[in-house]
Amino acid sequence: MTLRVIALAIAQLLITSHSLSTDTNEYIWEDCYSEMVAGGETTSVRLKFNNVVSIPSIVRKGDEQKVVKEIEVINDIDDAKASTLKVEADFHQYYKLAGKRWFTFLDVPHLDQCAEHEEFCPLPQVGETFTVSTTHPHLAWGTPYGWYRSRQIYRDMDTKKILGCVDMQFQYRAKDELEENESVVL
């Protein structure tokens, strides 16, 4: 754990606000379910992430972040109906070290999604779309600026079969001089 902290501190020194301010991407996300299919641990009823939004799109020092996910329950294999009563998720958190390589700094498996988002439990029926929203407090003092990534794999809590996957990336930057007295509070 100590090596990870040291690595993150070194990464913070390597990244300058100039290199971050020239990056034109603000927020990136993708539905990564197709990567899960090869493992054979999936179900015919699945979660399709139609849209994921970060508010603000670039998180700056002192900002809270709200992540809104629009999710559709689909079945593109057979005519099975949704029967999932409880959903859990594995959260894998990464930091882009020196702007080049993703470095895992946190891996939390089996998070009960029903506890935070009742919309998941039971899972809505095929064809239905629902929205979940999570507000994150401002990042801790000393958190290095740069790109962060959250890869979330959703599973049926009982069968452990994969229901969906979403991969999200966002930037954390220092406040610009003109923004120094502003922050986003949701």
Side-chain angles (χ1 to χ4, degrees), residues 2-184:
T2 304
L3 289 176
R4 288 184 181 178
V5 172
I6 292 170
L8 286 174
I10 291 170
Q12 184 174 13
L13 293 173
L14 294 173
I15 297 173
T16 66
S17 61
H18 172 70
S19 65
L20 286 174
S21 64
T22 60
D23 193 334
T24 57
N25 291 318
E26 293 183 349
Y27 181 76
I28 303 166
W29 72 274
E30 70 175 332
D31 184 307
C32 48
Y33 179 81
S34 62
E35 298 172 26
M36 305 291 118
V37 176
E41 300 176 12
T42 58
T43 62
S44 59
V45 173
R46 71 178 185 92
L47 303 174
K48 178 183 176 191
F49 290 83
N50 291 331
N51 195 20
V52 180
V53 177
S54 172
I55 305 166
S57 58
I58 295 175
V59 179
R60 299 189 186 274
K61 184 178 180 179
D63 289 351
E64 290 183 343
Q65 179 191 34
K66 184 175 184 177
V67 178
V68 181
K69 302 172 198 155
E70 180 185 287
I71 306 166
E72 183 180 0
V73 181
I74 67 169
N75 182 343
D76 48 12
I77 297 174
D78 57 32
D79 60 358
K81 295 188 179 349
S83 60
T84 300
L85 298 177
K86 292 184 176 182
V87 175
E88 67 181 21
D90 301 335
F91 282 37
H92 307 274
Q93 308 299 108
Y94 305 90
Y95 177 75
K96 197 171 219 179
L97 192 57
K100 298 189 185 304
R101 185 175 184 281
W102 289 111
F103 173 76
T104 301
F105 69 90
L106 183 64
D107 190 357
V108 184
H110 312 296
L111 289 173
D112 180 358
Q113 293 304 290
C114 304
E116 188 169 342
H117 302 292
E118 64 184 28
E119 299 88 349
F120 275 114
C121 306
L123 200 63
Q125 287 303 309
V126 172
E128 292 185 35
T129 300
F130 63 102
T131 301
V132 294
S133 176
T134 305
T135 300
H136 302 286
H138 66 84
L139 295 172
W141 179 90
T143 301
Y145 300 124
W147 278 96
Y148 286 84
R149 178 178 173 195
S150 180
R151 185 175 178 91
Q152 302 171 0
I153 301 171
Y154 293 82
R155 301 177 188 273
D156 181 305
M157 193 178 281
D158 295 326
T159 68
K160 304 303 182 202
K161 296 275 188 177
I162 295 173
L163 296 168
C165 177
V166 65
D167 197 326
M168 303 165 287
Q169 299 174 31
F170 72 94
Q171 288 186 64
Y172 177 53
R173 293 186 183 175
K175 289 233 178 257
D176 293 336
E177 287 182 24
L178 296 175
E179 301 169 318
E180 196 59 43
N181 294 322
E182 300 173 18
S183 66
V184 176

